Amino acid sequence: MRPVDVTHTPPQRTPASGLRRSLFWATAALVITLDQASKVLVRTLIDRGDIWPSADWPVRLHHLTNSGAAFGILQNQNSFLIVTTLIGLAAIYFYYRFPPFDHVIVPIAVGMILGGALGNLLDRLSLGEVTDFLDFPIWPTFNVADSSITIGIVILILGYAFLSSRSEPAAHADD
């Protein structure tokens, strides 16, 4: 009887895995930067409740705050929203590590979702509420983080629908 070899060989890092890792983290960092910079500008230049340029424009800046979640639900439930965001961040990272299909759009889309979630979490932790400012008359006011999350999800859905049959699931155990 021979002993069983229990040594584990770590996965090889390839240029492609380094590119995916870089795309993921760079996208998340870019979204956080754009989100936080835009919110600082709005908080600095527009008084809360004010609209610029005027209410009759089709797209405008409207400085609002939201102590709840999307569409104003769960108002004043900051602790609950912080905890659920932390759980969501873990799920986002898990999804990045074990995507259902392997394509270059996955780390970008998941990085957008991560950056958006972190951008709004930073607001909740530092201000107790999220700053919203992009206003279309037919839609609730939102921000860069909200947009990034939505666009990232749409990219993943479209990617899964149109690209997943062309590739196999990939585990990125190199991060």
Side-chain angles (χ1 to χ4, degrees):
M1 181 171 232
R2 292 191 288 175
V4 176
D5 183 13
V6 293
T7 59
H8 174 64
T9 306
Q12 297 287 33
R13 292 182 185 239
T14 64
S17 67
L19 173 64
R20 291 179 196 287
R21 187 174 51 257
S22 296
L23 285 172
F24 174 70
W25 292 112
T27 302
L30 178 64
V31 168
I32 292 167
T33 301
L34 291 174
D35 177 64
Q36 291 298 298
S38 63
K39 289 173 180 175
V40 166
L41 285 171
V42 166
R43 287 191 297 262
T44 303
L45 300 174
I46 302 173
D47 290 332
R48 191 177 299 181
D50 282 355
I51 297 173
W52 184 85
S54 68
D56 58 339
W57 280 58
V59 178
R60 57 197 175 233
L61 300 178
H62 186 183
H63 182 180
L64 296 175
T65 57
N66 182 3
S67 65
F71 306 107
I73 63 171
L74 299 172
Q75 289 297 312
N76 301 313
Q77 299 295 315
N78 207 35
S79 296
F80 173 75
L81 292 169
I82 289 170
V83 169
T84 57
T85 299
L86 293 173
I87 293 167
L89 290 172
I92 291 165
Y93 186 71
F94 183 78
Y95 190 89
Y96 159 71
R97 294 284 301 212
F98 305 102
F101 65 100
D102 189 17
H103 193 277
V104 72
I105 67 165
V106 173
I108 294 169
V110 178
M112 291 176 75
I113 297 167
L114 179 71
L118 285 171
N120 281 339
L121 178 62
L122 288 171
D123 273 15
R124 286 192 195 291
L125 292 172
S126 63
L127 305 171
E129 57 194 6
V130 174
T131 301
D132 290 327
F133 57 90
L134 296 169
D135 188 20
F136 293 80
I138 61 169
W139 198 255
T141 306
F142 57 98
N143 59 42
V144 172
D146 300 334
S147 300
S148 180
I149 292 167
T150 302
I151 293 167
I153 290 170
V154 168
I155 290 170
L156 283 178
I157 291 169
L158 292 174
Y160 189 72
F162 296 110
L163 300 172
S164 66
S165 62
R166 299 183 194 160
S167 59
E168 293 297 315
H172 299 288
D174 58 346
D175 303 314

